[in-house]
Amino acid sequence: MPLRSLITLLLLVNLGLPGLGAQDQLSGSLIVYAATSLTDVFESMRDEFEASHPDVEVLLNFANSATLAAQLRAGAPADIFASANELQMTVVADYGRVDEADVQIFAHNRLVLIVPADNPAAIQALEDLARDGILLVLAAGGTPIRSYTDAMLASASDEIGGDFLGSVLNNLVSEESNVRQVVARIALGEADAGLVYRSDAIGDVASQIIAIPIDERHNQIASYPIARLLDSTAPPLAEAFMRFVLSEAAQPILADFGFCWPPKSEAPPTVEATPAPARASQQAAAAAEIDCEVAPLEDR
């Protein structure tokens, strides 16, 4: 065996990196059901995973988590489910398609108030949503983002007093089926304000909206669980993709799209893919310092 090949082999064994045995031979298709708010970050993860496993195709199906859970309960074929809250994962687990013992939280998100870039209603804070004549857009009831939003508004109402919550809901002019549609309505100037995930207020849409942080006393931590379907037709692929999503290699990708991750209580899983070379090492280092509780919007 040539010396270079021997050194590479020893490094792979000692570092525990993929590249030997079954991981080298992964092939086939993987069906991932994921919450709408994960669209951009999971498309990026898919690209990196497929780059590391050229014989694998990751098929992504996005919708609000409640819709996905209903599809899975109806028997829709899938290998992985990534929800925007734990409730919808529990729905699928109760139906017997996911083992709750296998469910792991891989990311967190926060809420933010968004207004059009020209801010015609001159909204500066959450309290302004109760003013007469404000046109408010929210996600529909039953979606995770709406559950988080309702909890946040109830908390703020307790502090602000009066009929803050009732006044805000009186200004509700549209309920969208998912969070990205809320963002689109505000970016197009079709309403005065919306409440979305912080991850939705960055990227290309950032120039079309203004994102106003919500006080941490009332904000909510959105948790994203992921699990393999028990009847997956591609268990090795599902396990490999999950290990990647849960690995340190995925953390800079999550940070790029405005997410953060739970603290690691033990050694991270084996890395299944390497972050794109274009991501500078200092960016990854900065991402590792993100705190879901206190990171200001400007850091996104």
Side-chain angles (χ1 to χ4, degrees), residues 41-110:
V41 69
F42 262 40
E43 286 177 345
S44 182
M45 287 187 179
R46 172 202 60 198
D47 293 345
E48 295 210 14
F49 188 79
E50 289 181 344
S52 294
H53 302 286
D55 295 324
V56 172
E57 180 183 24
V58 179
L59 305 174
L60 299 172
N61 177 38
F62 297 108
N64 74 65
S65 298
T67 297
L68 295 175
Q71 291 173 353
L72 292 172
R73 287 192 61 183
D79 300 297
I80 286 176
F81 178 36
S83 172
N85 70 358
E86 295 174 84
L87 174 61
Q88 298 306 326
M89 183 65 75
T90 298
V91 168
V92 177
D94 288 347
Y95 199 69
R97 294 203 66 187
V98 163
D99 185 344
E100 285 203 52
D102 295 336
V103 177
Q104 298 189 65
I105 302 296
F106 69 94
H108 290 307
N109 212 338
R110 305 292 272 168

Side-chain angles (χ1 to χ4, degrees), residues 183-256:
V183 176
R185 293 289 300 273
I186 303 305
L188 292 171
E190 297 175 353
D192 297 321
L195 289 158
V196 300
Y197 294 118
R198 184 167 58 185
S199 60
D200 296 304
I202 64 175
D204 294 340
V205 74
S207 63
Q208 299 171 267
I209 62 173
I210 297 171
I212 302 171
I214 295 170
D215 195 294
E216 290 298 315
R217 296 193 307 278
H218 310 303
N219 212 327
Q220 306 291 304
I221 300 176
S223 296
Y224 288 75
I226 189 169
R228 177 178 68 84
L229 276 293
L230 292 174
D231 56 359
S232 166
T233 59
L237 286 181
E239 292 295 339
F241 187 78
M242 279 190 59
R243 283 198 300 272
F244 173 48
V245 171
L246 292 161
S247 73
E248 288 185 355
Q251 291 178 0
I253 307 175
L254 289 166
D256 282 350

Side-chain angles (χ1 to χ4, degrees), residues 6-52:
L6 178 60
I7 292 174
T8 301
L9 177 62
L10 290 173
L11 285 173
L12 288 169
V13 171
N14 290 335
L15 294 176
L17 297 176
L20 296 173
Q23 296 297 334
D24 236 8
Q25 301 164 20
L26 286 176
S27 62
S29 296
L30 181 72
I31 302 174
V32 178
Y33 275 39
T36 303
S37 55
L38 293 169
T39 299
D40 294 334
V41 69
F42 262 40
E43 286 177 345
S44 182
M45 287 187 179
R46 172 202 60 198
D47 293 345
E48 295 210 14
F49 188 79
E50 289 181 344
S52 294

